[in-house]
Structure formats: C-alpha cells, structure tokens
Amino acid sequence: MHIKLDWKQGMAFESMTPSGHRVTLDAGEDVGGLNLGPRPTEMLLQATATCTGIDIVSILHKMRLPLESFEMEIDGVRATEHPKRFTAIHLLYVLKGDMPEERVRRAIELSVDRYCSVSHSLNATFTYSYRLNGGEVVLFRAD
C-alpha cells in the first residue's frame, strides 16, 4: 500500500487514499494547526473500531444472522510521555437483532483474534465488551 501526502499549511496534510478518497488531517490550534481535519490519533482509534466492525458485520452476514443495528464505542488511553502512544484501548459493541448470543460472541472473537489487522498492528492492551438487545454489558476479553 502506498499513500502520498501533501502539506497544505500549518500542520495540515492532505492525502489521496489508494481507494480514491481525499483525507485531510491536522493538529489543534494549540500546537500550530488550523483544525482543518481530525487528528491522526483520532483516526487511529476510528480505524480500529471500523476495522473490527466491518469484520463483525461480515461474519454475522455469513452466519445469516439478522443484524438490526450496530454501534460501537471506543476509548483509548495514551501515555503521558512522548511518543504518547495508546497504552490501553477498550471497545464496546452494542448490537440488536434476533441472534443467539453465542454466535455474536463468536463473530466478535473471530474479529479480535484473527481478522482485525488494525488492532493487531497496535502495541496496546485491549479489552472488549458487548451488549446484545439492550441486555447487560458482558466483558468479552481483557488481554
């Protein structure tokens, strides 16, 4: 994969993704940016959640399970010293649909253990939980 970035102004960079989407990332005004786009670290968390979400939707579809809605919340804790990497990340999956809990859990497990390349690229401690059809939050795994 190859991506070219062009500096725009201040701390802003624009890129064209290999899939043909233009993206602008920037820093906050407090560090010389112009707030023209999201921060790289915000996009990293968003990419992590989206990657695992795509996996789960695909797996549930292959299981022929009727997903009605799917939301995720992701929280990241960063180190206080540079490079201020993410040290801990928690994902909460909130799903609705007429689906057996063990199959939903299996879909999450497959994404977490095997398929999500973004989360596997990060050096952070991950925890996961899910809520199915408004039920209790179930801690899935703490690495």
Side-chain angles (χ1 to χ4, degrees), residues 93-143:
Y93 305 103
V94 181
L95 304 100
K96 289 185 183 176
D98 185 17
M99 304 176 289
E101 184 173 351
E102 63 274 2
R103 306 278 305 274
V104 170
R105 187 179 181 97
R106 180 66 180 144
I108 295 169
E109 184 178 68
L110 284 168
S111 175
V112 167
D113 292 338
R114 184 179 291 174
Y115 295 117
C116 183
S117 58
V118 176
S119 64
H120 284 277
S121 298
L122 299 176
N123 181 20
T125 300
F126 280 83
T127 57
Y128 304 88
S129 58
Y130 66 91
R131 174 182 290 137
L132 180 59
N133 295 320
E136 295 292 316
V137 171
V138 176
L139 181 63
F140 173 68
R141 176 170 302 142
D143 288 343

Side-chain angles (χ1 to χ4, degrees), residues 47-60 70 72 93 111:
T48 302
T50 303
C51 180
T52 188
I54 288 170
D55 291 341
I56 293 166
V57 169
S58 176
I59 293 164
L60 292 174
F70 183 18
M72 290 176 284
Y93 305 103
S111 175

Side-chain angles (χ1 to χ4, degrees), residues 79-95:
T80 56
E81 300 297 320
H82 287 286
K84 297 185 181 182
R85 68 177 184 84
F86 285 106
T87 58
I89 296 173
H90 179 78
L91 278 142
L92 168 64
Y93 305 103
V94 181
L95 304 100

Side-chain angles (χ1 to χ4, degrees), residues 7-9 12 15 17 23 34 41-42 49 56 70 75 90 101 113 117 124-125 130:
W7 175 66
K8 293 314 217 180
Q9 60 181 320
S15 67
T17 67
V23 178
L34 298 171
T41 50
E42 294 171 342
I56 293 166
F70 183 18
D75 293 293
H90 179 78
E101 184 173 351
D113 292 338
S117 58
T125 300
Y130 66 91

Side-chain angles (χ1 to χ4, degrees), residues 63-75:
M63 291 179 175
R64 294 187 167 98
L65 294 175
L67 182 62
E68 293 173 21
S69 69
F70 183 18
E71 297 175 1
M72 290 176 284
E73 295 180 21
I74 186 167
D75 293 293

